[in-house]
Amino acid sequence: MDTILRNPQLDADGDLHHLLSIEELPREIIERILATADGFIGVGTREVKSVPLLRGRSVFNLFFENSTRTRTTFEIAAKRLSADVYNLNIAASSTSKGESLLDTIDNLTAMQADIFVVRHSQGGAPYLIARHLAPHVHVVNAGDGRHAHPTQALLDLYTIRHYKGRFEELNVAIVGDVLHSRVARSDIHGLLAMGVRELRVVGPLTLLPTGLEGLGVQVHTRLEDGIRGADVIIMLRLQNERMRGALLPSAQEYFRNYGLTPHTLRHAKPDCIVMHPGPMNRGIEIDSAVADGPHSVILPQVSFGIAVRMAVLSMVASSQRKAS
């Protein structure tokens, strides 16, 4: 009981019960997720692209924000585990007609939902749902407000481990709109938990949060300084509203100062890998020659994301069986 009170993501045995945030996950749970994902990497290349681990289980994808890529990879992951998958049409749902979020959850739970995959514009919405649910139903956070995107961080960690091995020897740079990015927030917590040697964030002062130095993160406002000697560069998507507001003068100036090009990439290590959570703004945060070049591992990230989400779903389902 003490474990549950300390961390709502873990069950009484300390196993994964919900996935809400990287920030509160012990390193051993992260390593267990990555190791479980190893076993699912080859499923997509088999003649029969599924395993029966979630047969008879119902996974509801509740995307209150649009995200074709994340929703699709969750759907593929659940189907490869043989789950019954339901994609709620939010635009036509009762929520859009005035029903509360928790009333919607209650109704779907009454339809025998086992796992909710939730994306919501409000930070903390998955926590609210998790606190409300019966013990045998579970939540996976697919992105909430600016707060967290834990499965993206886990697939980023998986990709880095795949190409670079031990985290403790790596210099990692996160470049772009760190202030508004739930991906950056989750990546920072995940990379610190895994013990990277040096973690840097890079961007204009208007797009960098305060207080990161206190976590041990280096802050840089010049791209060349931030990526010098980097083993890994994670580029962030720049959202259009930042360019329309007062935070940036123009897309062209942003690309000139912070866009990753073959020229600026020469400041990183020769075997540096380049990552991006997608979708990319080519010519704004990244040059096509880099996005499609030999350093890019952006497409493998997408493939690894399915295996990582299979790992998360199978682990919470295992906890579910113990709670039933």
Side-chain angles (χ1 to χ4, degrees):
M1 180 62 75
D2 287 346
T3 303
I4 294 175
L5 292 175
R6 284 198 303 272
N7 192 333
Q9 303 191 95
L10 305 181
D11 65 16
D13 295 329
D15 294 327
L16 193 67
H17 192 68
H18 304 294
L19 178 63
L20 305 175
S21 169
I22 291 291
E23 185 175 358
E24 300 168 334
L25 280 188
R27 177 171 178 167
E28 56 266 32
I29 293 291
I30 296 175
E31 290 177 338
R32 198 181 306 169
I33 293 170
L34 302 186
T36 303
D38 283 337
F40 293 127
I41 283 293
V43 173
T45 62
R46 297 177 188 171
E47 184 174 348
V48 177
K49 296 179 174 56
S50 64
V51 293
L53 291 176
L54 290 192
R55 183 169 293 159
R57 302 282 177 171
S58 296
V59 176
F60 282 67
N61 286 328
L62 307 182
F63 277 61
F64 297 88
E65 271 189 345
N66 290 329
S67 173
T68 301
R69 180 182 314 208
T70 301
R71 188 195 59 74
T72 300
T73 54
F74 267 110
E75 181 176 357
I76 293 171
K79 287 182 175 178
R80 285 187 180 169
L81 292 166
S82 303
D84 299 318
V85 183
Y86 303 91
N87 297 310
L88 189 68
N89 185 351
I90 298 298
S93 73
S94 298
T95 301
S96 67
K97 300 174 183 174
E99 185 176 76
S100 75
L101 173 63
L102 294 182
D103 282 341
T104 298
I105 294 297
D106 285 340
N107 277 282
L108 295 173
T109 302
M111 299 176 197
Q112 313 306 319
D114 295 300
I115 301 171
F116 290 112
V117 177
V118 178
R119 169 168 285 201
H120 203 285
S121 60
Q122 296 298 316
Y127 283 82
L128 175 68
I129 295 170
R131 285 197 298 269
H132 182 72
L133 288 173
H136 65 284
V137 187
H138 299 265
V139 177
V140 176
N141 184 359
D144 62 326
R146 298 178 186 176
H147 172 241
H149 197 345
T151 58
Q152 179 67 47
L154 288 166
L155 77 87
D156 287 347
L157 294 175
Y158 189 93
T159 303
I160 293 170
R161 192 193 66 162
H162 176 84
Y163 286 100
K164 293 296 182 181
R166 291 175 52 82
F167 290 90
E168 290 83 354
E169 300 169 358
L170 300 179
N171 300 325
V172 180
I174 301 174
V175 181
D177 182 5
V178 179
L179 179 64
H180 301 94
S181 173
R182 56 193 172 203
V183 173
R185 205 172 307 277
S186 291
D187 275 347
I188 288 169
H189 288 297
L191 289 162
L192 290 174
M194 301 305 287
V196 293
R197 179 169 59 191
E198 200 166 285
L199 179 57
R200 312 162 187 170
V201 297
V202 188
L205 279 176
T206 52
L207 297 181
L208 294 176
T210 59
L212 287 176
E213 293 93 339
L215 298 175
V217 178
Q218 293 186 15
V219 176
H220 294 272
T221 56
R222 289 187 73 250
L223 178 63
E224 293 80 359
D225 295 338
I227 67 173
R228 183 167 289 113
D231 300 282
V232 179
I233 301 174
I234 301 173
M235 301 301 296
L236 300 174
R237 174 178 170 79
L238 188 66
Q239 298 179 16
N240 290 331
E241 56 264 35
R242 312 301 173 218
M243 288 178 277
R244 290 196 296 268
L247 296 177
L248 292 172
S250 70
Q252 293 75 20
E253 184 168 337
Y254 181 83
F255 183 65
R256 188 162 55 249
N257 291 319
Y258 296 101
L260 191 63
T261 67
H263 176 74
T264 52
L265 186 57
R266 288 185 296 181
H267 293 278
K269 287 185 178 176
D271 62 346
C272 176
I273 60 171
V274 175
M275 302 166 59
H276 193 298
M280 290 182 287
N281 289 311
R282 292 173 183 260
I284 295 180
E285 68 255 6
I286 191 167
D287 190 284
S288 286
V290 175
D292 302 326
H295 297 275
S296 173
V297 296
I298 295 169
L299 289 179
Q301 279 182 268
V302 178
S303 298
F304 295 152
I306 295 172
V308 167
R309 285 165 178 139
M310 289 175 73
V312 170
L313 291 171
S314 67
M315 288 172 66
V316 298
S318 175
S319 173
Q320 181 173 334
R321 283 194 287 271
K322 287 189 295 186
S324 301

